[in-house]
Amino acid sequence: ETEVLSQRSLLRSLNLTGRVLIAPEGINGAVTGGASSVEQYKEVMTRHKAFQMCDLDWKESLDGGVAEPDGEVNVRVVAEIVNSGGAFRDIANSETGAGYLSPSEWRDALQQCGEETIVIDVRNKNEYACGHFSGAVDPQTSAFADFPRWVKRKADELKEKKKIMMYCTGGVRCEK
């Protein structure tokens, strides 16, 4: 709860709005505001005692805008950064992100796909409908918590494949 109050105070002091989730596995969020305020936030978080030994993964989308003065600051503690319904809660951070591919490596791997490879779109069915890689399997999920159940139903089919490639929007779902 101390970290929640600290994050809220920091965001408000920098005139940033957004959402920050704090879980045993780490912290994840999206903040909006002026470029200098966002840079200050990143500096503070980089120096944060909890992240001294970590490589923080910053993803930015700069639109030149500033936060609304009365915008929302939503900071809360959650059981998991991405809700898997608890199915992946006990997976250690050290076991996640294995096999991460850069965009160019992903492109090359897609071009080399054969019958032994399955490509799974881990996003929900609405995201899949907006666009997906050719041949990608749509698990027809409404939320990520549905994905573990899909994997269990398809376990035998998945075990037949030598290579499983998964993608999502920002990487968090695929790491789990």
Side-chain angles (χ1 to χ4, degrees):
E1 199 59 31
T2 302
E3 188 59 36
V4 169
L5 296 174
S6 174
Q7 284 290 315
R8 282 185 189 142
S9 175
L10 176 60
L11 291 168
R12 287 186 177 124
S13 73
L14 295 172
N15 195 32
L16 295 173
T17 60
R19 172 198 52 79
V20 175
L21 303 176
I22 302 168
E25 66 197 279
I27 188 167
N28 181 280
V31 298
T32 303
S36 65
S37 292
V38 171
E39 283 304 314
Q40 288 176 38
Y41 179 78
K42 288 169 55 178
E43 287 173 21
V44 170
M45 292 306 294
T46 301
R47 291 192 312 269
H48 192 291
K49 65 183 182 301
F51 307 115
Q52 291 294 309
M53 302 298 287
C54 301
D55 269 339
L56 295 179
D57 184 15
W58 298 103
K59 295 179 176 80
E60 296 184 34
S61 176
L62 302 175
D63 67 2
V66 296
E68 294 293 324
D70 296 323
E72 187 174 334
V73 173
N74 182 357
V75 181
R76 60 191 169 107
V77 174
V78 295
E80 299 176 281
I81 296 294
V82 177
N83 183 6
S84 71
F88 301 137
R89 191 174 296 149
D90 295 330
I91 297 174
N93 283 348
S94 60
E95 296 179 39
T96 65
Y100 174 83
L101 301 176
S102 70
S104 61
E105 291 169 327
W106 175 264
R107 182 193 65 235
D108 293 346
L110 278 179
Q111 290 172 347
Q112 297 170 11
C113 282
E115 290 297 315
E116 74 285 350
T117 301
I118 184 170
V119 178
I120 305 170
D121 188 331
V122 184
R123 302 171 307 157
N124 66 49
K125 59 188 172 188
N126 295 328
E127 292 171 300
Y128 181 91
C130 287
H132 53 272
F133 288 100
S134 178
V137 173
D138 177 10
Q140 288 288 307
T141 59
S142 295
F144 186 66
D146 300 334
F147 186 68
R149 290 185 289 277
W150 180 85
V151 170
K152 282 184 180 178
R153 283 193 315 274
K154 298 291 186 176
D156 290 338
E157 180 182 330
L158 295 172
K159 287 177 185 174
E160 292 175 7
K161 301 296 182 178
K162 291 183 181 173
K163 185 185 231 180
I164 298 173
M165 295 175 57
M166 299 186 301
Y167 68 93
C168 58
T169 306
V172 178
R173 290 174 273 194
C174 291
E175 286 185 358
K176 284 294 183 176

